[in-house]
Amino acid sequence: AQKIRLWSVINRQNRTTRPDVPLAIDDKPVDSVISKGELRVLVEVSDKEPVAGTPPEDQQYFAPWTTEDVKLFFKRYNASKGELTFMGTCAAHSTDKMAMIVDQMKTMARLPPGMWVVVYEEVKPNRVDVVQPQLTLKEAEMTSGDILILQEMPENLPAAGVPPPLHPTPLDLFDYQLNRIDVRFRLLSQPNKDVLKVELSKKDTHDVIVAKLAAALPPTNGKPVDAKYICLTSHNQMMNEPRPEPL
């Protein structure tokens, strides 16, 4: 139990849910830390080994926490794979420079010191800001629960014939995840049967939608479907049939 520390979890004004401060619950009853009928905590487990010769009750697995300490969470973004993965956490002081935190992230990712990287703060899924290495954590308004994302930057442009990443930055990935939607299509001649399901974005224009639909449709007489011959009609959910007016 001494190797476990509980953190309170709060709802921020930007509608994200993040860890806040360690809970000094000791022998308090559980209902004393329950908020609105919920017990939401982050469980932190120390990886420190016990000190030989020290009694169990005197072992120190966590450093004392102060109001100037900051608990940061690290992620790593791989643009070529479009993957965002968790790396770990870091306890820092509000006077530490962001540059030092960036170096810690590079060490955790096992990157060489000279590797060019960009580090973002994940404020919320639709807002990702580039951090300024010259600032202290306090100047950058970093608080416990904040998330930083490390992205390696290639030294050279992609080789000829290699397509660029679909989502070059974490913000592009979040934008894709927030706006993607699966849309089912039916033929006017078969209005009660799904023929095709295509992944679209809520930001797609009509021209983009018909182009994606044309690419997903099987060829006609051995030729790809021409998008300009596609006419779309919205669906009437109440009647479960197409609306009479085309889009």
Side-chain angles (χ1 to χ4, degrees), residues 79-80 158 161-168:
S80 62
V162 177
L166 288 175
H167 314 296

Side-chain angles (χ1 to χ4, degrees), residues 80-96:
S80 62
K81 296 181 179 180
E83 292 180 348
L84 188 63
T85 54
F86 176 72
M87 283 205 303
T89 66
C90 166
H93 193 270
S94 61
T95 57
D96 290 340

Side-chain angles (χ1 to χ4, degrees), residues 124-169:
K124 53 183 178 178
N126 59 354
R127 180 182 169 189
V128 179
D129 299 336
V130 177
V131 303
Q132 303 300 319
Q134 73 276 11
L135 300 180
T136 65
L137 269 65
K138 188 171 185 178
E139 292 169 340
E141 300 182 349
M142 289 283 157
T143 59
S144 288
D146 283 348
I147 300 172
L148 297 177
I149 302 173
L150 175 77
Q151 180 181 3
E152 304 165 45
M153 301 304 292
E155 296 181 2
N156 303 308
L157 294 174
V162 177
L166 288 175
H167 314 296
T169 71

Side-chain angles (χ1 to χ4, degrees), residues 2 11-12 16 38 59 65 79 87 129 180 220 230 241:
Q2 287 178 287
N11 294 324
R12 293 185 174 181
T16 59
E38 292 183 332
Q59 297 285 350
W65 198 261
M87 283 205 303
D129 299 336
R180 66 180 174 184
T220 302
I230 293 178
E241 62 184 22

Side-chain angles (χ1 to χ4, degrees), residues 102-103 106-107 110-118 152-155:
V102 172
D103 288 341
K106 291 169 68 174
T107 299
R110 298 181 180 179
L111 298 178
M115 172 73 71
W116 184 30
V117 300
V118 177
E152 304 165 45
M153 301 304 292
E155 296 181 2

Side-chain angles (χ1 to χ4, degrees), residues 184 186 234-243:
R184 293 174 295 162
R186 299 177 177 182
S234 60
H235 186 72
N236 187 324
Q237 294 280 9
M238 295 290 293
M239 304 298 294
N240 193 29
E241 62 184 22
R243 297 183 186 276

Side-chain angles (χ1 to χ4, degrees), residues 33-122:
V33 293
I34 289 179
S35 174
K36 297 180 180 180
E38 292 183 332
L39 176 61
R40 296 189 301 172
V41 295
L42 172 77
V43 180
E44 179 184 14
V45 181
S46 173
D47 58 1
K48 289 185 178 180
E49 295 297 328
V51 179
T54 303
E57 63 273 11
D58 295 331
Q59 297 285 350
Q60 294 291 327
Y61 293 104
F62 298 99
W65 198 261
T66 73
T67 55
E68 293 298 314
D69 293 321
V70 181
K71 185 75 168 180
L72 300 174
F73 294 76
F74 297 156
K75 295 180 181 180
R76 183 178 184 179
Y77 182 59
N78 185 324
S80 62
K81 296 181 179 180
E83 292 180 348
L84 188 63
T85 54
F86 176 72
M87 283 205 303
T89 66
C90 166
H93 193 270
S94 61
T95 57
D96 290 340
K97 292 280 190 180
M98 289 299 304
M100 186 183 79
I101 304 301
V102 172
D103 288 341
Q104 286 184 319
M105 295 182 74
K106 291 169 68 174
T107 299
M108 191 176 291
R110 298 181 180 179
L111 298 178
M115 172 73 71
W116 184 30
V117 300
V118 177
V119 174
Y120 308 85
E121 179 191 359
E122 182 186 325

